[in-house]
Amino acid sequence: DLHPGVMGISFKSGDALSGEPVVGAIRAGSPAAEAGMKTGDRVVEVDGRPGARQAEVKQALGPRYAGEQIAIAVMRDKER
């Protein structure tokens, strides 16, 4: 059975269309937590696709299934 994937993050801004994809919360034990993502990280790329807005990041993550591996690039303290 295929199940939708869950990365385990929520974004700070409530504006899903134009808001920056800055991580506001991370679910404990989630794939994001296990990968070392932190609150305040800004998602800049998903599997090589740039993501300057929440909508772009959500669009890149939407078709993924549970167990699929993805490459996420983040900006943290001005470093990628």
Side-chain angles (χ1 to χ4, degrees):
D1 290 342
L2 296 175
H3 300 282
V6 176
M7 198 162 93
I9 65 168
S10 60
F11 293 117
K12 278 188 178 182
S13 169
D15 185 356
L17 290 178
S18 62
E20 277 193 322
V22 176
V23 177
I26 299 175
R27 186 183 312 162
S30 69
E34 291 176 10
M37 288 185 80
K38 297 183 183 219
T39 301
D41 285 351
R42 185 168 55 91
V43 179
V44 294
E45 196 174 275
V46 178
D47 276 342
R49 294 176 56 189
R53 299 176 304 150
Q54 288 182 30
E56 293 167 332
V57 172
K58 289 179 179 183
Q59 183 179 23
L61 294 173
R64 305 306 179 130
Y65 294 104
E68 248 186 282
Q69 290 194 5
I70 56 173
I72 303 279
V74 300
M75 290 292 290
R76 180 184 299 157
D77 299 326
K78 298 182 183 179
E79 290 187 28
R80 187 171 172 159

